[in-house]
Amino acid sequence: MAKASYNEARMTPVATHNQSVRQAHVSVQPSVPLYSYVDYFGTTVTAFDIQDLHTILEVEARSTVESRAAILERPINWGQIRDERLVDTYSEYLGATARTQLSHEALANAAAWPGQLDLHECARAVGDFVRTRVQYVPGATTVSSTAEEAWSRGEGVCQDITHITIGLLRTLGIPARYVSGYLYPSSDSDIGDVVAGQSHAWVEYFSGVWTGWDPTNGVGETENHIIVGRGRDYDDVAPLKGIYQGPSSSSLGVSVEMSRIV
Amino acid sequence: MCSVALMGMIFEDDSSGAWNEMFEAPGKPRPIYERLFAEIDRFDPAELLQRSDQLSHTFLDRGVTFAHSGEERPFPLDLMPRLLGAIEWDLLERGISQRVRALEAFLGDVYGAGQVFEDGVIPKSVVTTSSHFCRAAHSIEPPNGVRITVAGIDLVRDEIGKFRILEDNVRIPSGVSYVIENRRAMTQTFSALFSNHRVHPVDSYPARLLAALRLAAPYGIGDPVVVVLSPGVYNAAYFEHVLLARMMGIELVEGRDLVCRSNHVFMRMTNGERPVHVIYRRVDDDWLDPLQFRPDSVIGVAGLVNAARAGNVALANALGNGVADDKLVYTYVPDFIRFYLGEEPLIENVETFRLEDPDVLGEVLQSLDAYVLKPVDGSGGKGIVIGPQADEQTLTSVRDAIIMSPRNWIAQRPVALSTHPTLVDEQVSPRHVDLRPFAVSGGQGVWVLPGGLTRVALGAGELVVNSSRGGGSKDTWVLNDQLVAPRGPATDVGQPPRNAGVIPRQNDEYTDQEAEQ
Amino acid sequence: MSEQGMLSRLAESLYWIGRYVERADDTARTVDSYVHRMVEDPFNDEDATCRSLLSILGMPYEKDEPITRADMLQVIVYDVENPNSIAGAFSGAYENARRSRDFISSEMWIALNKTRNRLPQMESTARLLGPSSYLEYVRERTALLAGLTDATLSHDDGWNFLVLGRTIERIDMTARLLRGRVLSAEHAPDWLAFLRANGAMESFMRSTNELHDANSVATFLILDRLFPRSVLFSLNLADSCLFEIQPSGQRIASADMARQSLARARGRLDFMDSSQLLAQLPELLEMLEDTCLLVNDAITTKFFRHEDAVLWSSEGAL
């Protein structure tokens, strides 16, 4: 039971080169006026406050998105990625945050990678490494877990695998950012079928252009990856955050339903 | 340290190499101080002490205090005023205005287009790693384009008498209440002195501030409701919040008096709620909106940032201004002046070293005891290490801190701050002073309050001048000295004026006119 | 002014300044008269008198060991932590004045601040020489504050809230003191001393040619229409303050709980047979104390709607 609450939802897909948003609509129960703006990271935010007593808060985001798989561009080389100007421009995606900080033990592996690999190969190698060392175990961690916690546990979810991959890439001097979005489970279900999708997280690293990589699934940014927002880590793009006045007894749940229409 | 006795009063001499504000040589006052010196010298020292005592009682009774460690303390006012000549002030006024205009342009750029990064004036990483850089402030455009409604720029005078900028305060600079109260107390205690000096008045400050705040109102609000938002009675500057609210004739509110509904702000009244349009907030960014910043803040207003973003309420000063106060950013301000204004800085910075450069860092670490070391996000003298005065242990720990994060420190060449005769322990001794002028802007040019707050370090040799570290203050007089008619031969100076103790009427009229211009 | 209303938090602070200053004044007057009685009456039972006074003032002493006059003074006069003591009431008034410092006049603020700064020194003197100089100081300062309130503050909503607080406190205190006088007469000052303590001696003498007995004194203190410390006078004043604060909505009196309670109390007094007053006094005084509580609660709910500082909880995140 909350007397009042103030909230921000980040659930609206962003328009990118490979993803155009045909329609996007967020609605809230209890019904209140919504305000939307684009934040520092370019994510569309829906903000609202509820002033009456309420026991349930329901946020529904409906979008129609046309997406296609990203085409892999030729990467810039290691010299270019260490260019002083480039490093300064992307410095926010090179420094560790509390979420992405890793211990020396975890970072010890980083030294081996660049070798003869180009940026794409390196990002994949890092992602694959993380996936072999950290098992995907739903419920093993919480939304507030850090990369280091998941690393030492050896288990985590996509959020943790992404945080760890980001932490390692940044250590290698590759700008990397956290992507929050939805994943359509398979391409072979029929048009119009409603299937259970999921909230998902993956990585974008800079290789001349921002390039997606999904370390949890070991794939690139396919047409099934719908991007909502990017940030330094999860906290910049949390799908829903808010505060309320009242006894602390909130429980959160999320469900994602997706269907192909073309 | 030798002492020179002069006509009854003892002015302790200074041999620290610092610039003496009052004397050009022992016993020989600088020209602008001549008259004051002659007047003060006539006072019986016992009487002076008595007046000083009376002053501190007046301050306690009036509650002119700052809260320190849970205790209300008066901010000691020293009887010896600090004088600034018209020509010198003209330079300071233009220099401060220039500085504020450049910082304003910088903040607009940082939270907007980012041209300053494109053109390589300052590395973007310096801004994004500043602890006061506020991503939530991005693209919030103040209705009148002003982010720095009030600025307090700290100046010091170096060994050769040149003013330098020590730091910029464009978050929530405080201290102006002492300027107003000091003047009120001084005119009561030493009315005779004012009759012989043309001193620029300071009492128009609240009216100037209110006018600037009204100009910040959201679009379409002709008669805005303006409030002062205070963290509450336990805040160190609560007295100032009260004084300003009272002198501007507007409500002093706390976070719990306000509520945001659908991005509109209201205050809770006995007969319902009233809309609020402009908030002169004296609450730090971090505590301002529990939705955006610290959720544990009980002194903020939930939803305030989005209300400002939606353009329904204006916050003065704006969110995120602290990035301009960052002491590493400070080192780039002269470049901002050139970049945004196409002008050369009128007042220079204190010589400062950026420790992110490994060569500079190495050099500084080699001889830490030759530098002043400052944390980039400190204010109020917090965390400052004065190399030449620091012990081994302090130097070791500051060395570790710097090596750990060079971004968070700067090193400065020590400046022997100028000294001013100050009444300490029944004797007049030189004490180090600085100067914080205040600038107000509503978007139609920057207005600088004549004078500002002269803070004095009461400990002998103490270089950090701050109220929370046992500092005091002085009334600061900007003299309109060209307008002072010659007063006859210097031999007359020793004679008491016939109207001692009475402020002549024409003086009042003069100052009134001055205030209106 | 009333159309505009005022900040709820501010209104509450002003109301409490009114209450606390009045409390300090009334307590000083009462303590003075009790102490006087103890000193003058050789047969006085110090322990019982102290207990009686403490109980009247709402701070009953429940320990078995006897209480001395010095102990009693500590509790009722000097204890800053106790909001019912004189020093505590001043401290309460000061804290509320700090919060409303932008509203009250500088002169009121300075008077209050000065008093608070001076009290510790007055206390040291009083511990050596007896409480009378302290109590006299308190009466002077509260009178000064009351005068400054009326003379330097616009008589707007803020002033009305302050006077309302002062008035409610005065009714409450008068009722308590009369109860003490009636229920444990053997410890209380006699009726004339009681009048004197209320500053009512001369007014009373001029108001009546009747016998100066208990009934006529009680009648004067409760039913006199002109004496500003009488209960009836205070009830009328409280009502007019509330009327000024909210002139609209007067059509339906019952919509206003506070005014309703005041009207009910006044109705009782209006139809009172003054010759029977003494007999009905205990019940009447209880009714008055209840009225004060009801009015206090009603205005708190109605006007002081501000929230206490809200502690927000984080929703957590998905």
Side-chain angles (χ1 to χ4, degrees):
Chain A
M1 174 85 74
K3 263 173 83 180
S5 74
Y6 291 82
N7 311 274
E8 284 192 344
R10 284 169 168 82
M11 300 179 176
T12 307
V14 64
T16 70
H17 188 62
N18 297 313
Q19 174 175 304
S20 52
V21 180
R22 294 285 185 75
Q23 248 184 12
H25 184 71
V26 175
S27 62
V28 172
Q29 283 299 332
S31 172
V32 288
L34 306 179
Y35 168 70
S36 84
Y37 70 94
V38 176
D39 71 10
Y40 176 81
F41 296 99
T43 309
T44 300
V45 183
T46 305
F48 54 93
D49 58 89
I50 302 170
Q51 302 289 339
D52 302 318
L53 283 178
H54 55 288
T55 47
I56 292 178
L57 168 60
E58 224 173 75
V59 184
E60 182 179 283
R62 282 176 166 276
S63 313
T64 311
V65 176
E66 189 180 325
S67 79
R68 58 170 179 263
I71 297 157
L72 210 56
E73 307 271 345
R74 225 174 95 88
I76 56 176
N77 64 39
W78 285 96
Q80 288 166 309
I81 202 88
R82 299 210 163 112
D83 170 71
E84 199 182 324
R85 197 63 194 272
L86 188 147
V87 166
D88 182 53
T89 304
Y90 298 107
S91 58
E92 283 173 293
Y93 303 108
L94 282 165
T97 68
R99 291 277 202 164
T100 66
Q101 183 75 55
L102 289 165
S103 66
H104 291 299
E105 185 261 318
L107 292 175
N109 303 287
W113 276 306
Q116 299 303 310
L117 305 177
D118 70 14
L119 284 171
H120 292 324
E121 292 162 347
C122 181
R124 284 161 191 233
V126 171
D128 291 346
F129 168 74
V130 174
R131 193 149 32 89
T132 57
R133 294 290 293 266
V134 180
Q135 296 301 308
Y136 180 83
V137 179
T141 52
T142 71
V143 284
S144 56
S145 298
T146 64
E148 181 57 32
E149 283 161 13
W151 173 263
S152 46
R153 212 186 142 91
E155 296 176 331
V157 295
C158 57
Q159 177 185 312
D160 307 302
I161 292 171
T162 301
H163 277 148
I164 297 167
T165 309
I166 287 172
L168 289 168
L169 287 172
R170 289 181 186 172
T171 311
L172 294 170
I174 305 173
R177 60 190 189 185
Y178 185 101
V179 186
S180 158
Y182 308 110
L183 181 64
Y184 184 72
S186 75
S187 326
D188 19 277
S189 50
D190 289 331
I191 288 173
D193 279 359
V194 175
V195 295
Q198 53 178 322
S199 286
H200 194 47
W202 59 95
V203 177
E204 281 181 4
Y205 59 95
F206 194 79
S207 62
V209 293
W210 287 104
T211 310
W213 183 253
D214 178 350
T216 310
N217 296 309
V219 296
E221 220 164 50
T222 69
E223 66 270 33
N224 294 335
H225 288 82
I226 307 299
I227 304 171
V228 168
R230 300 98 158 195
R232 292 163 297 173
D233 60 26
Y234 168 83
D235 294 322
D236 288 335
V237 287
L240 183 67
K241 67 165 187 172
I243 52 171
Y244 66 95
Q245 186 187 348
S248 53
S249 64
S250 84
S251 67
L252 287 162
V254 63
S255 75
V256 179
E257 291 177 345
M258 301 177 94
S259 84
R260 273 178 65 211
I261 56 176
V262 179
Chain B
M1 204 173 266
C2 73
S3 299
V4 204
L6 277 164
M7 294 178 273
M9 287 297 297
I10 295 175
F11 283 83
E12 207 179 288
D13 189 21
D14 182 10
S15 43
S16 62
W19 177 269
N20 189 309
E21 295 279 339
M22 190 164 180
F23 296 106
E24 53 189 39
K28 187 173 185 320
R30 300 183 188 281
I32 56 163
Y33 274 95
E34 274 172 9
R35 186 161 289 137
L36 179 78
F37 181 66
E39 296 268 347
I40 286 185
D41 203 43
R42 265 203 308 281
F43 285 115
D44 175 7
E47 184 193 338
L48 211 56
L49 289 176
Q50 213 171 3
R51 281 178 197 255
S52 170
D53 238 36
Q54 180 198 335
L55 254 185
S56 62
H57 267 113
T58 312
F59 270 40
L60 259 185
D61 286 346
R62 293 179 55 85
V64 182
T65 53
F66 67 93
H68 183 61
S69 318
E71 187 193 339
E72 291 290 317
R73 292 194 195 163
F75 189 37
L77 166 61
D78 183 65
L79 285 182
M80 301 274 176
R82 195 255 189 97
L83 273 52
L84 293 166
I87 295 169
E88 186 158 59
W89 176 249
D90 177 64
L91 172 69
L92 292 183
E93 192 180 26
R94 285 184 295 122
I96 287 156
S97 161
Q98 178 190 55
R99 186 110 180 161
V100 173
R101 283 182 289 125
L103 291 173
E104 179 71 66
F106 169 67
L107 287 171
D109 200 8
V110 161
Y111 293 114
Q115 197 61 42
V116 75
F117 310 128
E118 296 290 313
D119 289 29
V121 179
I122 181 173
K124 187 176 180 185
S125 55
V126 169
V127 167
T128 57
T129 53
S130 169
S131 60
H132 296 297
F133 176 57
C134 177
R135 290 174 178 82
H138 183 75
S139 78
I140 298 182
E141 196 53 44
N144 62 341
V146 176
R147 286 182 171 77
I148 308 175
T149 305
V150 182
I153 307 294
D154 289 352
L155 302 168
V156 295
R157 205 201 282 267
D158 66 12
E159 297 84 346
I160 57 163
K162 197 162 115 175
F163 273 108
R164 289 172 180 275
I165 307 268
L166 186 66
E167 62 181 64
D168 305 293
N169 298 279
V170 296
R171 271 173 288 170
I172 43 177
S174 69
V176 76
S177 56
Y178 299 113
V179 176
I180 296 169
E181 283 292 325
N182 286 353
R183 179 61 54 82
R184 191 197 321 241
M186 287 293 282
T187 48
Q188 279 166 10
T189 314
F190 284 122
S191 48
L193 290 182
F194 284 86
S195 65
N196 291 326
H197 292 86
R198 306 283 193 221
V199 181
H200 277 279
V202 296
D203 54 4
S204 63
Y205 181 86
R208 295 276 189 170
L209 177 57
L210 181 60
L213 291 168
R214 291 177 61 91
L215 284 171
Y219 299 107
I221 303 293
D223 186 16
V225 174
V226 184
V227 299
V228 178
L229 174 64
S230 168
V233 293
Y234 300 107
N235 186 265
Y238 183 69
F239 162 72
E240 178 157 307
H241 309 159
V242 171
L243 185 87
L244 291 175
R246 178 205 282 278
M247 291 187 80
M248 290 191 282
I250 61 178
E251 300 284 357
L252 176 67
V253 302
E254 295 176 17
R256 57 195 167 120
D257 296 326
L258 300 181
V259 60
C260 286
R261 297 182 198 286
S262 305
N263 293 336
H264 288 268
V265 182
F266 301 90
M267 56 180 160
R268 297 185 163 106
M269 310 290 286
T270 51
N271 61 346
E273 292 178 346
R274 189 193 303 170
V276 171
H277 306 111
V278 181
I279 299 177
Y280 178 46
R281 51 95 173 207
R282 299 292 301 251
V283 174
D284 282 330
D285 284 4
D286 270 0
W287 302 92
L288 198 55
D289 181 348
L291 174 61
Q292 299 292 345
F293 310 115
R294 301 184 58 137
D296 59 339
S297 169
V298 295
I299 57 175
V301 185
L304 194 55
V305 171
N306 283 340
R309 190 188 309 282
N312 297 323
V313 72
L315 300 176
N317 286 352
L319 274 182
N321 279 11
V323 67
D325 292 357
D326 185 292
K327 292 190 180 64
L328 185 53
V329 174
Y330 154 94
T331 63
Y332 293 91
V333 178
D335 299 324
F336 298 160
I337 293 173
R338 295 180 193 105
F339 178 69
Y340 293 111
L341 310 179
E343 300 171 11
E344 274 305 303
L346 294 168
I347 313 175
E348 287 173 38
N349 279 3
V350 171
E351 198 183 347
T352 306
F353 304 91
R354 298 172 188 153
L355 304 178
E356 282 195 304
D357 181 334
D359 296 343
V360 177
L361 177 64
E363 217 163 288
V364 169
L365 287 177
Q366 287 241 311
S367 45
L368 268 186
D369 58 354
Y371 296 93
V372 174
L373 303 149
K374 294 184 177 175
V376 293
D377 60 350
S379 61
K382 215 169 69 194
I384 290 181
V385 174
I386 298 182
Q389 295 179 356
D391 57 29
E392 222 20 71
Q393 195 189 345
T394 314
L395 287 175
T396 308
S397 64
V398 77
R399 176 189 306 274
D400 292 347
I402 291 171
I403 292 170
M404 184 82 95
S405 51
R407 162 65 181 89
N408 294 332
W409 291 84
I410 53 157
Q412 290 182 329
R413 189 79 70 199
V415 177
L417 308 193
S418 61
T419 64
H420 195 292
T422 301
L423 199 59
V424 184
D425 298 335
E426 318 198 348
Q427 182 165 316
V428 180
S429 313
R431 286 293 182 269
H432 293 293
V433 294
D434 71 355
L435 178 66
R436 173 179 286 186
F438 293 90
V440 173
S441 169
Q444 304 173 338
V446 176
W447 175 76
V448 185
L449 174 69
L453 183 65
T454 293
R455 294 178 298 182
V456 48
L458 294 179
E462 173 80 63
L463 282 169
V464 178
V465 179
N466 192 273
S467 56
S468 54
R469 299 187 50 158
S473 70
K474 287 172 170 296
D475 191 15
T476 310
W477 297 3
V478 173
L479 300 179
N480 210 335
D481 37 45
Q482 292 99 328
L483 294 180
V484 180
R487 289 240 166 186
T491 47
D492 276 354
V493 169
Q495 299 297 318
R498 298 225 313 273
N499 60 355
V502 183
I503 301 179
R505 193 62 220 153
Q506 64 271 29
N507 195 31
D508 279 356
E509 280 158 15
Y510 170 74
T511 53
D512 283 348
Q513 278 170 11
E514 186 70 9
E516 277 165 20
Q517 280 165 1
Chain C
M1 197 65 198
S2 289
E3 248 103 281
Q4 278 195 342
M6 65 184 301
L7 271 182
S8 290
R9 181 179 49 81
L10 201 55
E12 187 170 25
S13 282
L14 291 163
Y15 173 80
W16 280 102
I17 294 173
R19 287 204 73 153
Y20 278 127
V21 172
E22 181 67 23
R23 186 175 298 174
D25 183 25
D26 294 346
T27 309
R29 290 167 178 280
T30 308
V31 171
D32 203 21
S33 65
Y34 272 76
V35 168
H36 219 72
R37 159 129 203 195
M38 288 192 235
V39 174
E40 280 184 341
D41 179 357
F43 305 108
N44 180 266
D45 176 349
E46 183 169 311
D47 177 58
T49 306
C50 290
R51 282 174 193 271
S52 158
L53 181 54
L54 280 163
S55 132
I56 294 170
L57 294 175
M59 307 170 259
Y61 181 79
E62 270 144 11
K63 284 185 227 162
D64 287 336
E65 61 262 41
I67 178 169
T68 66
R69 191 174 359 148
D71 297 337
M72 179 273 286
L73 289 173
Q74 175 58 34
V75 176
I76 299 182
V77 180
Y78 307 125
D79 181 7
V80 184
E81 303 299 320
N82 172 6
N84 291 321
S85 79
I86 294 176
F90 263 113
S91 167
Y94 168 80
E95 285 301 327
N96 280 287
R98 268 174 93 185
R99 289 171 166 79
S100 53
R101 204 169 144 185
D102 58 319
F103 185 90
I104 60 175
S105 69
S106 325
E107 288 175 65
M108 286 173 68
W109 163 252
I110 292 171
L112 197 49
N113 194 34
K114 239 176 162 165
T115 311
R116 176 177 170 276
N117 290 340
R118 186 83 197 283
L119 279 181
Q121 191 192 330
M122 295 300 296
E123 182 185 330
S124 331
T125 316
R127 285 184 191 281
L128 288 175
L129 306 175
S132 70
S133 64
Y134 185 100
L135 298 173
E136 189 184 330
Y137 177 72
V138 168
R139 285 208 309 273
E140 279 172 16
R141 299 305 289 184
T142 53
L144 176 67
L145 275 163
L148 288 172
T149 301
D150 292 346
T152 63
L153 210 54
S154 291
H155 288 199
D156 54 16
D157 281 2
W159 180 83
N160 276 303
F161 275 111
L162 197 155
V163 174
L164 184 61
R166 180 203 287 171
T167 312
I168 298 300
E169 183 72 22
R170 186 174 286 175
I171 297 171
D172 185 54
M173 286 296 272
T174 307
R176 285 170 184 276
L177 297 183
L178 279 168
R179 198 147 56 97
R181 175 59 226 166
V182 174
L183 296 184
S184 44
E186 69 278 20
H187 308 304
D190 62 35
W191 282 106
L192 288 182
F194 193 77
L195 275 175
R196 216 176 289 119
N198 276 287
M201 190 64 163
E202 293 76 11
S203 298
F204 170 74
M205 291 300 186
R206 268 199 301 280
S207 73
T208 175
N209 295 321
E210 290 172 34
L211 276 175
H212 299 161
D213 61 3
N215 199 64
S216 64
V217 173
T219 304
F220 182 78
L221 285 175
I222 293 179
L223 294 178
D224 193 89
R225 288 182 184 283
L226 300 178
F227 183 64
R229 299 186 76 87
S230 86
V231 170
L232 187 62
F233 187 97
S234 300
L235 286 172
N236 284 330
L237 183 55
D239 189 59
S240 90
C241 288
L242 281 166
F243 176 81
E244 291 290 330
I245 289 165
Q246 210 154 46
S248 54
Q250 292 312 311
R251 305 276 291 269
I252 306 163
S254 64
D256 188 331
M257 292 276 289
R259 294 194 68 200
Q260 216 179 0
S261 305
L262 288 171
R264 210 178 298 124
R266 214 175 31 188
R268 271 298 300 278
L269 298 189
D270 281 343
F271 296 104
M272 184 71 83
D273 174 1
S274 65
S275 63
Q276 298 303 309
L277 185 70
L278 211 51
Q280 297 177 24
L281 206 49
E283 182 255 332
L284 194 63
L285 294 173
E286 201 179 320
M287 183 274 289
L288 286 172
E289 284 178 50
D290 287 348
T291 302
C292 290
L293 273 177
L294 281 170
V295 172
N296 186 72
D297 290 352
I299 55 187
T300 301
T301 321
K302 178 159 185 179
F303 297 111
F304 308 152
R305 275 177 298 205
H306 64 90
E307 302 269 355
D308 285 335
V310 174
L311 191 57
W312 295 95
S313 315
S314 202
E315 274 165 9
L318 283 171

